[in-house]
Amino acid sequence: MGLFCIRGIVDLFLGTFFVSFIMHWANNQIVSVSIYRLCEYFAICGGFFAFANLVKRHNKNLMFGIHLIPKTILLMLIIALGPNVTNYVIPLGLLYGISDAIYCLPINVMMAEKIPKHTMNWFMGLKTTYKHIIKLLAPVILGLFIELSSFPKMAMFILGLVLVEAILIISMSPTKHIDKTKADILGFAHKMIQTPIIRKMFIMEVLRGLGIGLLITIIPMYTVHIFHTNLNLGIFTTIFGACSIITSRMLGKTKQRRTFARLLWLSVLTISWAITMFVGWPSSTTFLCYNFVYATSMLVLEHISNVNMFNLSQSKLIQEQHQTEYFVFRDFAIFIGRWIGFVGLMYIGVFGGYDWLRWYMIPITGAIILFGVTSYQLNNKLGDIQ
C-alpha cells in the first residue's frame, strides 16, 4: 500500500496541481491543458501496446520499476523549465503518459494474478481508502507550499518521493507467473468481438474515458477558475477527499452483488441531479454540490466497475495467458473515450471558453450516466459466468 500512497501524491502533483500550474502561465488555459492531456493519453495507449510483450514475457516487477525513469525526467524538466513549461506541454505530456503506461499495465496484471476474486472488492475498497487519505492530507500541504514557495521547488520534493518509490519496488517479492509466449493482440481482438460480455466491458471503458477521464481534469480547472488559488484548490480537494474516504470504506465492506446494483442506480440519479443544478443555476454553491457528488457517487461507479473489470479478468472467459492482452484493450477503450472528450475540450478552448465548458459538462455527464447503466448490465451478467 506504500506504493499506492506515494503514487497518489505524485499523481496529485503531476495531475491536479500541474494542470493548475499550466493554467497560471498559459495564454489559452483550456487549449494548453487539452494538449497536455491528449499527449499523455496518446502515450499511455501507445505504451500499453508497445510494452505488452515485455510485461507478459519478463519479470513484471522489473517492468514496473522502469516507469520511474520517464517520471524522473519529467520532474527534472519541470524544475528546469519553471514557467516555460507551457511551451513544452507536448513532450511533458508524452513523458507522463509513457510513465503511466509502464506503471499501469504491470500493476493491473499483477493485481489480477495475486488477488483472489473473493477479496477483490475488499482490496479495492482498502486501496481507494488509502488513496483518498492521501488526497485528504496532501492537497492543502501541496497547495500551501506552492503558494508560499514555487511549483518547481515542490517538484524537487516529489523527486525525493520517487527515490522512496524505487526502494519499495526493489523490496517487492518477484512475480511467479511469467509467460514466454508473445502477446496475441489480434487474437484477443477477435475473441473480444465474438464475446458479448467483453464487448460490453469495452463499451463501458470507452464511456469511462469520455466521462470520468475528462472530469478529472475539468473539475480542478473550474475550481481554480472559480476560487483562484492553489491553496483553495487544496482545501476543497481535501474536504471532498474526506467524503471519498467514508464512501470507500463502506464500499469495501459490501459483499452482495445485489447491493452493487442498487448503489449503481442511486449514483446515476444523484449525478443527474448534480449536473442539472450546476448547468441550470451556475454558482460556487452548485459547483461544490457537484464536487460532493463527484467525490461520492462517482467513486461508487468507479469502484464497482473496477471490481467487476478485475473479476472479469479472472473469469473463465479470460484465461491467465490472456490477461495482459485484456488490460491492453481495456486501456485502448479508455483512450478512445479520452481522445473524443479532449478533442471536444480543445474546440471549446479555441471557440468558446468557461461559459461553453459549463454546457460541455452535459454530454460528459451523459457519458457517465451511460457508463453507470453499462456497469449495471455488466454487474448482472458477470454473476452468471462466475
Side-chain angles (χ1 to χ4, degrees), residues 17-31:
F17 283 96
F18 191 47
V19 164
S20 172
F21 188 61
I22 292 173
M23 288 173 63
H24 184 73
W25 295 102
N27 293 323
N28 189 318
Q29 298 175 342
I30 297 175
V31 171

Side-chain angles (χ1 to χ4, degrees), residues 306-330:
N306 283 338
V307 170
N308 286 333
M309 181 269 297
F310 275 104
N311 284 344
L312 180 58
S313 75
Q314 298 172 329
S315 71
K316 60 186 178 184
L317 293 177
I318 311 293
Q319 298 172 352
E320 195 173 55
Q321 61 266 32
H322 287 146
Q323 284 178 338
T324 301
E325 292 89 336
Y326 171 84
F327 286 111
V328 167
F329 272 94
R330 181 251 179 174

Side-chain angles (χ1 to χ4, degrees), residues 259-332:
T259 307
F260 275 1
R262 296 192 190 102
L263 288 172
L264 284 168
W265 278 118
L266 180 62
S267 298
V268 167
L269 290 173
T270 53
I271 290 166
S272 303
W273 168 81
I275 188 61
T276 302
M277 291 294 292
F278 179 64
V279 173
W281 298 273
S283 68
S284 58
T285 301
T286 53
F287 179 65
L288 289 175
C289 288
Y290 191 91
N291 266 269
F292 173 76
V293 170
Y294 179 82
T296 53
S297 296
M298 212 77 73
L299 188 144
V300 170
L301 290 185
E302 278 224 276
H303 175 94
I304 295 173
S305 63
N306 283 338
V307 170
N308 286 333
M309 181 269 297
F310 275 104
N311 284 344
L312 180 58
S313 75
Q314 298 172 329
S315 71
K316 60 186 178 184
L317 293 177
I318 311 293
Q319 298 172 352
E320 195 173 55
Q321 61 266 32
H322 287 146
Q323 284 178 338
T324 301
E325 292 89 336
Y326 171 84
F327 286 111
V328 167
F329 272 94
R330 181 251 179 174
D331 198 83
F332 179 58

Side-chain angles (χ1 to χ4, degrees), residues 30-254:
I30 297 175
V31 171
S32 295
V33 171
S34 297
I35 292 172
Y36 174 69
R37 287 302 199 189
L38 283 169
C39 292
E40 175 195 344
Y41 296 141
F42 178 80
I44 291 173
C45 182
F48 265 58
F49 282 99
F51 294 108
N53 268 320
L54 293 173
V55 170
K56 187 170 185 177
R57 304 177 70 185
H58 297 279
N59 189 305
K60 295 173 183 62
N61 292 26
L62 175 63
M63 294 305 304
F64 180 60
I66 292 173
H67 89 277
L68 297 177
I69 297 173
K71 186 188 290 183
T72 301
I73 296 171
L74 172 59
L75 288 166
M76 291 176 70
L77 285 173
I78 290 172
I79 293 168
L81 293 171
N84 294 320
V85 292
T86 54
N87 299 322
Y88 300 91
V89 289
I90 293 177
L92 294 177
L94 291 172
L95 276 171
Y96 190 30
I98 292 169
S99 173
D100 244 17
I102 310 175
Y103 172 90
C104 291
L105 184 56
I107 200 71
N108 284 342
V109 177
M110 284 192 286
M111 284 173 61
E113 288 175 359
K114 292 185 174 184
I115 301 169
K117 193 182 301 182
H118 65 277
T119 61
M120 184 61 73
N121 178 56
W122 172 84
F123 177 82
M124 292 301 296
L126 186 64
K127 175 177 174 284
T128 309
T129 300
Y130 275 100
K131 173 184 172 182
H132 287 288
I133 288 174
I134 292 299
K135 283 190 174 182
L136 179 68
L137 300 174
V140 170
I141 298 171
L142 290 177
L144 182 61
F145 189 96
I146 293 169
E147 286 293 315
L148 296 177
S149 181
S150 68
F151 192 87
K153 287 184 179 178
M154 190 69 233
M156 294 180 188
F157 172 74
I158 300 297
L159 202 56
L161 287 181
V162 172
L163 178 61
V164 176
E165 195 175 356
I167 295 170
L168 290 174
I169 291 172
I170 292 170
S171 66
M172 288 173 62
S173 58
T175 53
K176 296 178 181 178
H177 179 74
I178 298 175
D179 195 335
K180 292 300 180 182
T181 60
K182 290 185 178 180
D184 186 9
I185 301 296
L186 292 178
F188 188 81
H190 182 69
K191 180 181 178 68
M192 182 180 69
I193 292 169
Q194 291 184 322
T195 311
I197 193 168
I198 302 178
R199 289 202 309 269
K200 182 73 69 176
M201 185 277 300
F202 190 88
I203 294 169
M204 182 185 77
E205 297 300 336
V206 171
L207 292 167
R208 184 207 295 261
L210 178 56
I212 295 175
L214 213 59
L215 276 186
I216 290 171
T217 298
I218 288 178
I219 284 182
M221 289 175 66
Y222 241 119
T223 306
V224 172
H225 177 67
I226 293 174
F227 299 106
H228 304 302
T229 70
N230 283 300
L231 179 57
N232 284 331
L233 174 61
I235 290 170
F236 287 116
T237 304
T238 295
I239 291 170
F240 294 117
C243 300
S244 297
I245 290 171
I246 297 169
T247 306
S248 299
R249 291 303 296 150
M250 292 173 64
L251 283 169
K253 295 177 180 179
T254 304

